[in-house]
Amino acid sequence: MEYRGYDSAGVAILNSKGLEVRKRVGKLSALIETIRQRPIHGQIGVGHTRWATHGQPSEINAHPHTDCTDRLAIVHSGIIENYALLKERLLAGGHTFRSQTDTEVIAHLIEELARSYPMREAFRRALKELRGSYALCLISADEPTRLFGARNGSPLIVGVGKREALFASDVPAVLERTRRVVYLQDHDVVELSADGVRITTMEGKAIRRAPTRISWSLAAARKGGYPHYMLKEIHEQPAAIAHTLTNRLDAAKGHVTFDRRTNAFLDRLDLREQLVLIACGTAYHAALVGEYMLEEVARLPVDVDLASEFRYRGPLLNRSTTIIAITQSGETADTLAGIRLAKEQGAKVLAICNVVGSSIAREADAVLYTHAGPEIAVASTKAYTSQLTALALLTLYLAKRGRRIPAAQWHRLLEGLARLPKTLERALASEAAIKVVASKYAAARNFYYLGRRYNYPSALEGALKLKEICPLIHAEGYAAGEMKHGPISLIRKGWPVVVLAPQSSVYEKVISNIEEVRARSGECVVIASEGDAAIKRYADHLITIPKTEECFSPIVAAVPLQLFAYYVADANGCDIDQPPNLAKSVTVE
Ligand code: F6R
């Protein structure tokens, strides 16, 4: 689970000695070393990799957290919002706290309740007092053959193996042991024991949840010879988008379709009504491209919002609004809250999502899965291009349904989309050349990225990739036409500016923006279409990409942007798969 948090880690194991705990600050490898030196054994335990919310990374703040008597241990993902009040009460009741975390209150709360109730009941009563989000697991020396778990707003699954069961926050963690997984839902309370998996409501009423068989292979969740997951996932993009297209696009027959539920959802839409795309981070950049596609090609009215803004700005929604939530993990807290808000106000929700069975996939009215396979690197790559591919399919479907597209254009786009996996393979062939350009700029500390129209979001995404995995660098993406309204004042000799200039309806405008940068002695790394000989004289360094339809150009341009960021970060010795301060799925606010 290291990609979900890696500032500290710990385990607690129950055995004949009681509870044994090992914790270390830093990567999981530090904890592994400690356990090598001081082994622990047992058949039941809990472990956790932390992304700090309350209290800095330290051994004391690392999970598991124990009660005053060290008889029970808790691991927790999420935030307990009323922890301060609970802590005050527990302190007054004589409990001693060791950490600054919100999680520790849960351990003491259960300890307190276990004085009056059996552990199962104490656990449930404690959950009822918690406000906020949690996926949590508990072991107790008083119930040495049981593992307790519960979720509310944070992902938790149960892997059902042969004579064993496991809790985890995400599927890759259990793939080595089992492919049978139960996706827990909010307010589920679970007990794992030799008797099996027992799921109940908070009130103790039994619930049946059938296991799902996971199709992801273990190899898909491993590095497969690449030095980093990010590089592996960049290279997986032709296959990932081919999966997004499979069974949905038939260019020969001129056909786009989805599963029955999604088709029915799309066929019911009133195409005069507003579509609102919400997402966070890279998925938000995909949404921006989606806006251009849906407006230009399908002629639909579209709004785009960051989920974290959307949920608090009091959006005007009604039964005819359709929300399209874009998310790789399907667990991002802000996006989940956004769709819940929208549903409360009667809006319909379509999710574009990668993780089957995730919270957003379950709560949406229909889901368009991207089928990109597990994405482990913190920096999103194949999830992004497969989201764009899904948006392209959606655009074509709705354009046809609304009869808003001339037949010739429809067929041209369909064929361009069907060719995309091959086009991306060709884009990957420039890797060596991109590495050379990246090495030239490895020492630069500020970058601008510029693009217009479909490639304005590409500029944002290119800059995000670089600053995300190379924390030494400041990078900003701008709409190229905005430069002259402020950002251009920073340009000086040698300042690297990555410009997206593939053949497009705004090509000449972008050339003018390059001229403006060069007039101020900035240096342009230009990403242009293959065969564009004229652009050479404007570029300090040229990276070429295969030609495609303008609306698909961000999918192709993503490849050199990702590789450029990767090789700049690599040359700087950055921890590419686990950049500081980040975590893969942001399941807290
Ligand atoms: C950037 C990145 C993040 C995610 C964002 C949304 O490379 O990975 O910005 O895109 O946290 O995550 P999902 O798509 O899981 O909702």
Side-chain angles (χ1 to χ4, degrees):
M1 298 309 316
E2 203 178 12
Y3 61 94
R4 297 182 60 105
Y6 36 81
D7 58 43
S8 51
V11 291
I13 303 283
L14 264 179
N15 56 30
S16 53
K17 292 190 217 151
L19 207 58
E20 282 197 85
V21 182
R22 304 278 186 275
K23 296 184 188 185
R24 279 296 294 273
V25 174
K27 296 289 188 69
L28 205 51
S29 51
L31 179 67
I32 291 169
E33 191 43 43
T34 297
I35 294 174
R36 206 166 276 143
Q37 286 161 12
R38 292 176 52 222
I40 33 175
H41 299 285
Q43 290 195 309
I44 184 163
V46 287
H48 187 264
T49 60
R50 180 167 186 250
W51 181 78
T53 60
H54 296 60
Q56 65 186 36
S58 68
E59 237 165 71
I60 297 267
N61 287 335
H63 301 210
H65 289 286
T66 52
D67 65 328
C68 297
T69 60
D70 282 337
R71 288 190 63 76
L72 64 86
I74 286 279
V75 289
H76 163 228
S77 295
I79 292 181
I80 303 304
E81 286 163 5
N82 58 338
Y83 89 101
L85 274 177
L86 291 170
K87 188 167 177 175
E88 216 173 282
R89 194 180 90 201
L90 290 159
L91 279 170
H95 290 263
T96 315
F97 282 74
R98 288 170 256 210
S99 76
Q100 289 95 51
T101 64
D102 51 338
T103 300
E104 196 183 341
V105 296
I106 309 172
H108 294 283
L109 186 58
I110 297 171
E111 176 190 11
E112 182 74 29
L113 290 160
R115 289 178 189 150
S116 320
Y117 302 97
M119 190 49 70
R120 178 184 287 171
E121 184 60 22
F123 183 56
R124 266 206 302 264
R125 284 182 180 253
L127 296 176
K128 285 189 179 162
E129 292 204 44
L130 303 179
R131 278 210 322 271
S133 61
Y134 53 79
L136 63 89
C137 301
L138 158 75
I139 49 172
S140 161
D142 296 329
E143 285 278 5
T145 58
R146 274 172 216 286
L147 190 51
F148 298 88
R151 76 157 271 175
N152 181 35
S154 239
L156 188 65
I157 58 160
V158 176
V160 186
K162 282 205 187 90
R163 301 173 60 216
E164 68 175 355
L166 311 96
F167 282 118
S169 301
D170 207 349
V171 168
V174 301
L175 278 182
E176 202 174 310
R177 323 232 18 135
T178 180
R179 297 264 199 86
R180 290 176 71 219
V181 160
V182 178
Y183 292 98
L184 298 175
Q185 301 194 11
D186 281 354
H187 315 300
D188 282 359
V189 184
V190 189
E191 257 177 65
L192 308 184
S193 69
D195 307 333
V197 179
R198 180 173 185 270
I199 308 177
T200 64
T201 62
M202 292 273 237
E203 280 66 44
K205 203 167 144 258
I207 310 176
R208 269 191 60 79
R209 299 219 185 281
T212 304
R213 212 180 152 71
I214 302 297
S215 59
W216 292 353
S217 68
L218 186 56
R222 294 239 162 109
K223 274 191 210 155
Y226 285 92
H228 298 100
Y229 280 111
M230 182 179 178
L231 192 59
K232 174 181 177 242
E233 289 161 7
I234 290 173
H235 279 269
E236 282 173 347
Q237 291 179 109
I241 64 170
H243 283 137
T244 312
L245 297 173
T246 301
N247 297 331
R248 291 169 171 168
L249 174 76
D250 187 333
K253 290 196 186 130
H255 198 57
V256 174
T257 189
F258 302 105
D259 59 80
R260 259 210 347 251
R261 189 163 149 212
T262 306
N263 285 344
F265 178 93
L266 296 174
D267 292 344
R268 276 198 306 269
L269 293 188
D270 178 344
L271 298 183
R272 290 162 307 184
E273 300 292 350
Q274 194 73 20
L275 292 173
V276 185
L277 274 54
I278 61 167
C280 301
T282 287
Y284 170 70
H285 299 153
L288 289 174
V289 176
E291 177 186 31
Y292 283 96
M293 286 180 182
L294 287 159
E295 279 193 353
E296 192 200 34
V297 180
R299 307 305 297 155
L300 300 174
V302 181
D303 250 357
V304 182
D305 214 344
L306 291 162
S308 54
E309 288 298 312
F310 173 81
R311 61 182 290 198
Y312 289 119
R313 79 175 155 81
L316 293 173
L317 308 170
N318 57 45
R319 299 172 67 82
S320 29
T321 317
T322 300
I323 303 293
I324 302 180
I326 306 175
T327 170
Q328 188 283 129
S329 61
E331 302 292 350
T332 299
D334 286 318
T335 313
L336 183 57
I339 69 165
R340 285 180 178 163
L341 172 87
K343 289 190 82 169
E344 268 164 35
Q345 297 186 26
K348 300 173 279 296
V349 176
L350 171 71
I352 294 181
C353 183
N354 193 37
V355 178
V356 176
S358 57
S359 303
I360 292 174
R362 279 203 314 267
E363 294 192 24
D365 299 304
V367 189
L368 211 166
Y369 283 111
T370 46
H371 297 309
E375 192 180 66
I376 311 271
V378 166
S380 186
T381 54
K382 63 175 179 172
Y384 175 64
T385 43
S386 62
Q387 284 160 357
L388 294 181
T389 306
L391 284 161
L393 283 168
L394 183 68
T395 301
L396 289 176
Y397 187 96
L398 292 175
K400 177 98 183 260
R401 214 209 101 191
R403 297 197 178 84
R404 291 166 189 206
I405 187 165
Q409 188 192 0
W410 158 262
H411 285 288
R412 198 162 35 78
L413 290 178
L414 230 59
E415 279 158 19
L417 195 52
R419 271 196 308 273
L420 265 184
K422 286 260 170 303
T423 314
L424 256 67
E425 260 166 35
R426 281 186 29 228
L428 281 164
S430 304
E431 181 170 2
I434 295 166
K435 186 173 176 182
V436 172
V437 182
S439 69
K440 295 215 160 73
Y441 289 102
R445 289 296 169 258
N446 292 288
F447 286 74
Y448 274 168
Y449 283 72
L450 301 182
R452 288 184 97 109
R453 220 167 167 248
Y454 281 101
N455 282 298
Y456 158 48
S458 303
L460 300 178
E461 176 59 9
L464 176 62
K465 283 293 87 96
L466 183 59
K467 64 186 154 194
E468 188 180 9
I469 60 170
C470 195
L472 305 161
I473 288 176
H474 169 243
E476 287 303 331
Y478 286 102
E482 270 297 292
M483 278 294 280
K484 54 188 174 296
H485 299 290
I488 205 163
S489 68
L490 281 178
I491 300 275
R492 57 209 66 212
K493 194 168 165 34
W495 185 293
V497 181
V498 178
V499 188
L500 290 131
Q503 287 299 334
S504 73
S505 52
V506 287
Y507 177 77
E508 274 84 21
K509 310 273 174 215
V510 177
I511 298 290
S512 306
N513 300 133
I514 295 177
E515 297 269 38
E516 288 157 12
V517 170
R518 286 166 59 94
R520 286 154 184 86
S521 306
E523 277 188 28
C524 290
V525 175
V526 179
I527 298 176
S529 302
E530 276 170 5
D532 182 354
I535 203 149
K536 284 197 183 120
R537 68 191 185 88
Y538 301 102
D540 294 283
H541 298 283
L542 184 62
I543 296 171
T544 57
I545 51 172
K547 285 192 187 135
T548 182
E549 303 301 324
E550 184 173 352
C551 61
F552 305 144
S553 61
I555 308 179
V556 185
V559 172
L561 292 170
Q562 296 160 352
L563 286 169
F564 183 75
Y566 175 85
Y567 282 112
V568 171
D570 197 39
N572 277 289
C574 299
D575 191 346
I576 291 177
D577 281 340
Q578 291 166 356
N581 299 331
L582 294 176
K584 181 73 183 157
S585 307
V586 188
T587 52
V588 292
E589 262 197 69

